[in-house]
Amino acid sequence: MKVILLGPPGAGKGTIAKLLSAHDGSVQISTGDILRAAVNAGTDLGKEAKSYMDRGDLVPDSLIMRIMESRLQEPDCKEGFLLDGFPRTIKQAEELRELLKKLGIALDMVINLDVPRDVILDRLTTRRTCSNPSCQEIYNVKSNPPAEEGKCKKCGSPVVQRADETEEAILNRLDTYNQKTAPLVAFYEKEGLLKTFLSLDSKQTTEAVIKALKK
């Protein structure tokens, strides 16, 4: 499958991408992953990206697109790919459309994950993360609590609430998403690629996506 995953923070994009990847071997691609990989590999593009990141600046779209072009031509992408959280803006979507045309790649679908705002708030404000950078195991105080005294079950480190997962921070992230990324829904609807799925349960949503892709 060759798909894009859209959805607000807390919609379950990462989880659903992993489940879809496990289904048919399509590789999950996020901009954060490819930027880190390019930097770690020390490629020319990676060195260029690192210079921006070290200064605390955003990596420009033009460089992200060049790194994306390189990534999409790697052998594992021939089996299919899932773009997780990219594109984020209409400009990126337009540039991605031209890039895919240049590479002779046709998208199968753009998956829009729809989740009620109150569900997102509940999901993210109850999420906790292992503070050990090499572990980062995710917990939920309701459905999957950490061990006693708030310790990670895997490594024993303290489990914390991330600064961007307080209610105030989440509402701010949702506002940013609605301003910048939500317009992509209309963009891909116009392209005839969009299909929206209610995402309350990751496994059920994944099954619905797989069924829709087979049609």
Side-chain angles (χ1 to χ4, degrees):
M1 66 183 82
K2 296 177 176 68
V3 301
I4 292 172
L5 278 165
L6 298 179
K13 292 187 296 294
T15 302
I16 289 168
K18 284 181 174 64
L19 291 170
L20 288 171
S21 179
H23 169 70
D24 78 344
S26 296
V27 63
Q28 182 182 356
I29 299 172
S30 72
T31 43
D33 289 343
I34 61 171
L35 283 172
R36 282 189 291 273
V39 169
N40 291 338
T43 63
D44 289 342
L45 291 173
K47 288 173 185 172
E48 198 175 334
K50 189 174 186 295
S51 68
Y52 286 97
M53 293 156 77
D54 286 349
R55 293 196 301 269
D57 293 336
L58 288 174
V59 178
D61 282 352
S62 57
L63 180 53
I64 287 174
M65 294 311 299
R66 282 157 58 205
I67 293 174
M68 185 64 74
E69 179 174 3
S70 173
R71 180 68 184 92
L72 289 174
Q73 292 180 86
E74 290 180 22
D76 59 350
C77 285
K78 288 178 182 172
E79 300 300 318
F81 57 81
L82 303 125
L83 296 184
D84 172 12
F86 183 86
R88 291 181 183 271
T89 63
I90 297 294
K91 183 175 180 289
Q92 286 182 348
E94 290 171 343
E95 291 186 7
L96 179 63
R97 179 177 59 192
E98 294 310 308
L99 171 59
L100 293 176
K101 196 183 294 181
K102 174 184 170 184
L103 297 176
I105 296 171
L107 286 172
D108 296 315
M109 186 186 291
V110 175
I111 298 160
N112 177 43
L113 302 176
D114 182 34
V115 188
R117 197 178 180 90
D118 60 327
V119 173
I120 289 173
L121 274 172
D122 184 61
R123 276 183 188 175
L124 294 184
T125 55
T126 55
R127 184 188 285 181
R128 300 292 183 269
T129 306
C130 174
S131 58
N132 179 354
S134 61
C135 179
Q136 297 279 287
E137 184 73 8
I138 302 289
Y139 295 92
N140 185 288
V141 295
K142 290 182 178 179
S143 59
N144 177 31
E148 286 184 21
E149 298 180 5
K151 302 285 184 173
C152 176
K153 292 176 183 174
K154 282 195 170 180
C155 72
S157 300
V159 169
V160 298
Q161 182 177 37
R162 281 173 25 184
D164 64 349
E165 288 177 350
T166 62
E167 185 167 344
E168 185 182 3
I170 293 159
L171 289 171
N172 186 48
R173 287 166 68 192
L174 289 173
D175 287 343
T176 301
Y177 174 81
N178 287 330
Q179 290 166 16
K180 294 186 174 180
T181 312
L184 289 169
V185 170
F187 177 88
Y188 283 114
E189 200 163 30
K190 196 175 176 183
E191 297 272 300
L193 288 165
L194 189 85
K195 190 160 181 62
T196 297
F197 299 85
L198 182 63
S199 184
L200 298 177
D201 179 280
S202 296
K203 286 186 179 177
Q204 288 180 8
T205 303
T206 302
E207 287 167 7
V209 168
I210 291 167
K211 190 175 177 182
L213 283 164
K214 287 178 179 175
K215 287 183 180 177

